[in-house]
Amino acid sequence: MKKLLSSAVTVILLGSSVTVYAQDTNAASVDKQTPTTQKNVDSSSIAINTKNPYSMIEGAANKTFASFHKEQAKIKADPNYLKVIIQDDLMPYIDSKYASYKVMGQYLRDSTKEQRNNFVKAFTSYLITTYAQAFTEYTDQKIQFSPAKDFSNERMVNVDVQVIEKGRPPIKLIFKVRRLKDGTWKAFDLVAEGVSLLSTKQSEIGNLIRQQGIDKVTDTLNEKAQGSISSQASEKGK
C-alpha cells in the first residue's frame, strides 16, 4: 500500500501529458466538459484560480509538471533543484499549516506556540523533500480530472481524479480541499484508493511524538527534509 500511495502522489504531480476536463470558473457550472491535453507548457503562463477548488487543483498540477519539463537541464545537473520547483509551484496551494496541525492531533493542545511553529516549518520542509523525491519516479501517465460540482455553499470539497496508465487499472485519487477565510482554497490531504495520506502520517508521527516528544520529532523531520534528492537513473545504475 505504501508503494501505491507513493506512486499515486508521483503520478498526480508528474504525468508527462495530462488529459483533463477543462473546468468552468463559475462555482455552479457543471456543463459538458471537453478533454484537453497540457504538454510542454511554460509554467509562468498558467493562471491558477484559487477561488475555485477544482480549477486550483488542476492548475497547480499543470504548473508543477510544466516546470518539471522546462527545467530538465537544471534537474539533471542537480536533482535538488526539484525542491525549488515544489516550493515555488506546488506548495502555495497546499495548506501545510492545517495539515501539520492535523498530523499533531491530540498533541497540538499540549504544545507551545514556538513548538507548533517549529513543527509546521519542519513538516512543510519534509513535504517539499518528499514530493521532490517523487518527481524522480516520473513515468508517462495521464491524469483525468472529474467535472466540477457546485461548491458555493461548501467549506470543504473532494476533487476526484483518476490516473490513467496503459495496461493498468485507473488509480482513484481524491484531493481534499478547504476554503480559507479569504475565500481561496487550498489542498490539505490526498486519498489514494481509500487511504488518506494525512491520516497515515497522523498515525505514524503521532506515535513518534508520544514516544520521543514533539521537539525530537521536529528535529527528525528537519533532518529528513535536508536529505539530498537522488535520481532514479543514478539509483538504477548502482
Side-chain angles (χ1 to χ4, degrees):
M1 183 56 69
K2 288 184 178 180
K3 186 175 182 180
L4 170 63
L5 292 174
S6 176
S7 175
V9 172
T10 302
V11 165
I12 195 64
L13 295 175
L14 307 181
S16 65
S17 61
V18 176
T19 300
V20 302
Y21 287 87
Q23 306 293 349
D24 192 306
T25 56
N26 295 322
S29 175
V30 289
D31 296 335
K32 184 178 180 180
Q33 307 299 316
T34 303
T36 63
T37 299
Q38 293 277 353
K39 195 172 185 179
N40 297 327
V41 178
D42 184 351
S43 61
S44 63
S45 69
I46 299 176
I48 299 179
N49 179 13
T50 58
K51 294 296 183 71
N52 182 317
Y54 299 92
S55 296
M56 186 275 291
I57 289 294
E58 178 184 326
N62 288 347
K63 188 177 183 69
T64 304
F65 76 72
S67 291
F68 173 78
H69 285 291
K70 180 182 178 181
E71 303 295 354
Q72 277 299 297
K74 290 183 180 180
I75 294 169
K76 288 180 180 179
D78 180 13
N80 285 301
Y81 188 74
L82 287 167
K83 292 184 181 183
V84 177
I85 293 176
I86 296 298
Q87 174 71 59
D88 294 346
D89 294 336
L90 181 64
M91 295 310 293
Y93 312 102
I94 303 295
D95 195 344
S96 55
K97 181 177 180 180
Y98 182 80
S100 298
Y101 281 6
K102 294 289 285 185
V103 166
M104 291 178 70
Q106 62 180 329
Y107 303 103
L108 177 65
R109 63 176 179 267
D110 298 324
S111 62
T112 66
K113 181 178 180 179
E114 182 179 10
Q115 286 176 321
R116 289 193 294 273
N117 290 340
N118 290 339
F119 184 87
V120 170
K121 290 178 181 178
F123 188 71
T124 301
S125 296
Y126 168 73
L127 285 179
I128 291 172
T129 298
T130 299
Y131 289 142
Q133 185 60 54
F135 259 84
T136 66
E137 300 176 10
Y138 166 78
T139 53
D140 186 13
Q141 294 104 345
K142 294 183 179 181
I143 304 169
Q144 181 173 293
F145 294 85
S146 297
K149 299 178 182 179
D150 182 9
F151 59 88
S152 55
N153 296 317
E154 303 295 335
R155 294 182 60 188
M156 293 188 181
V157 301
N158 293 337
V159 179
D160 296 330
V161 177
Q162 285 197 87
V163 178
I164 311 298
E165 184 173 3
K166 187 175 181 180
R168 295 185 178 183
I171 298 176
K172 297 179 181 180
L173 305 178
I174 299 173
F175 280 96
K176 289 187 173 292
V177 191
R178 64 188 293 262
R179 191 199 299 266
L180 306 185
K181 292 181 179 179
D182 62 0
T184 62
W185 294 78
K186 284 190 175 184
F188 66 92
D189 191 16
L190 173 62
V191 179
E193 296 292 343
V195 180
S196 162
L197 288 175
L198 188 60
S199 295
T200 300
K201 288 300 177 184
Q202 184 179 34
S203 176
E204 175 187 329
I205 294 178
N207 286 335
L208 289 176
I209 294 176
R210 176 176 57 81
Q211 297 168 7
Q212 304 175 6
I214 187 171
D215 294 329
K216 175 61 177 176
V217 172
T218 298
D219 289 341
T220 299
L221 290 174
N222 276 322
E223 290 174 6
K224 290 181 178 295
Q226 295 304 312
S228 293
I229 304 303
S230 58
S231 68
Q232 290 298 306
S234 63
E235 288 296 321
K236 290 178 181 178
K238 289 182 179 180

